[in-house]
Amino acid sequence: MKQLPLGVRLRAGAVYESFAQGRNSEIVTVLRSASAVPVWLWGAHGSGKTHLLQAACSAAGETAAYFPLNRSASLPPEALAGYERSPLLCIDDVDQVAGDQAWERALFHLFNEAAELRTRLIFAAAVAPRQAAWVLDDWRSRAAACVVYQLHELDDAGRIEALRLRAAQRGLQLPDETSEYLLKRMPRDLRSLFDLLDALDEASMVEQRRLTIPFIRDELEKHANTKS
């Protein structure tokens, strides 16, 4: 895996098997395929874009590269040089550089060089390519040439499945009623739920208690008292 000089590392749990698909099963099928057609994923924060890009890199192994533009925009656009030689290149948060002509030009050249080398490109953004505020027409046309997929947010059943998969990665069994309890009382975006589950898991190991509703209620009350 080609890493960036930014301390960027793939999350250990970011694999296809831990992704609750919901209405996004077609997207997972496309990403798992060997197609060289460039793909553009877009969706709201917490919809799973980064998870899927990192899962694609994990599946490809040492031949893949992951480049998050939300953490890379402080670098010069020349930082992209050489990544077109990776058989798989996943560029995250690409809309973060919209309006920066130098970065857009770098993406344009990268796209062209990747096409010649048959490098597979997967982009992720908060918006579809035609909705981003690009200033370079050449790059706008390349971005629009990608096959575009919108990631749909999970319903409650999907969030419960996502929590179950996350818990299973940590060696936990999470009853549905426990997940439902969390959904009713906490922010419903997956990142917040995952962070809470991780914290509860650590607390349960310290106190040697299972993730039951009474235990979670006690922990949430402790947290509320600490903040007040």
Side-chain angles (χ1 to χ4, degrees):
M1 179 66 58
K2 185 173 182 179
Q3 297 291 348
L4 294 171
L6 300 171
V8 173
R9 294 292 182 272
L10 301 185
R11 296 196 297 262
V15 294
Y16 289 127
E17 291 74 16
S18 65
F19 183 74
Q21 297 183 17
R23 293 186 292 158
N24 300 308
S25 58
E26 180 184 354
I27 296 173
V28 176
T29 299
V30 168
L31 295 184
R32 283 180 176 271
S33 73
S35 173
V37 176
V39 171
W40 185 289
L41 305 181
W42 72 277
H45 175 73
S47 59
K49 303 184 296 295
T50 295
H51 186 124
L52 285 176
L53 260 61
Q54 294 198 6
C57 288
S58 293
E62 295 297 324
T63 63
Y66 173 73
F67 201 110
L69 284 182
N70 66 330
R71 295 182 59 181
S72 308
S74 59
L75 295 174
E78 291 77 18
L80 276 176
Y83 281 91
E84 72 279 357
R85 299 186 184 92
S86 303
L88 170 65
L89 173 59
C90 295
I91 301 182
D92 207 353
D93 299 303
V94 66
D95 55 312
Q96 293 290 309
V97 297
D100 186 320
Q101 191 169 9
W103 268 104
E104 290 185 26
R105 187 176 294 108
L107 287 168
F108 169 73
H109 290 305
L110 173 79
F111 192 101
N112 292 340
E113 292 163 0
E116 292 182 6
L117 295 169
R118 301 288 293 173
T119 293
R120 188 181 191 193
L121 294 174
I122 305 175
F123 299 98
V127 296
R130 295 185 184 278
Q131 296 174 329
W134 311 120
V135 295
L136 192 66
D137 288 338
D138 286 341
W139 166 240
R140 181 184 292 108
S141 67
R142 295 299 186 275
C146 296
V147 178
V148 180
Y149 293 95
Q150 180 183 4
L151 273 166
H152 298 284
E153 293 188 70
L154 297 174
D155 57 15
D156 281 355
R159 291 185 179 95
I160 289 173
E161 174 64 7
L163 283 169
R164 185 192 67 78
L165 290 171
R166 179 76 169 197
Q169 282 188 307
R170 300 181 70 98
L172 301 171
Q173 288 187 338
L174 191 67
D176 285 352
E177 59 267 23
T178 303
S179 297
E180 292 168 0
Y181 181 87
L182 290 174
L183 287 179
K184 290 177 181 177
R185 288 160 178 81
M186 299 302 297
R188 303 168 74 81
D189 67 283
L190 285 182
R191 176 48 48 202
S192 296
L193 289 169
F194 286 168
D195 288 345
L196 175 61
L197 179 62
D198 292 348
L200 289 171
D201 178 29
E202 292 176 8
S204 70
M205 288 190 289
V206 171
E207 299 189 27
Q208 294 295 297
R209 294 177 62 184
R210 294 170 52 243
L211 290 182
T212 61
I213 290 177
F215 170 72
I216 292 173
R217 183 172 58 242
D218 291 346
E219 289 301 310
L220 294 180
E221 288 177 357
K222 288 179 185 177
H223 180 69
N225 292 334
T226 301
K227 294 180 64 177
S228 60

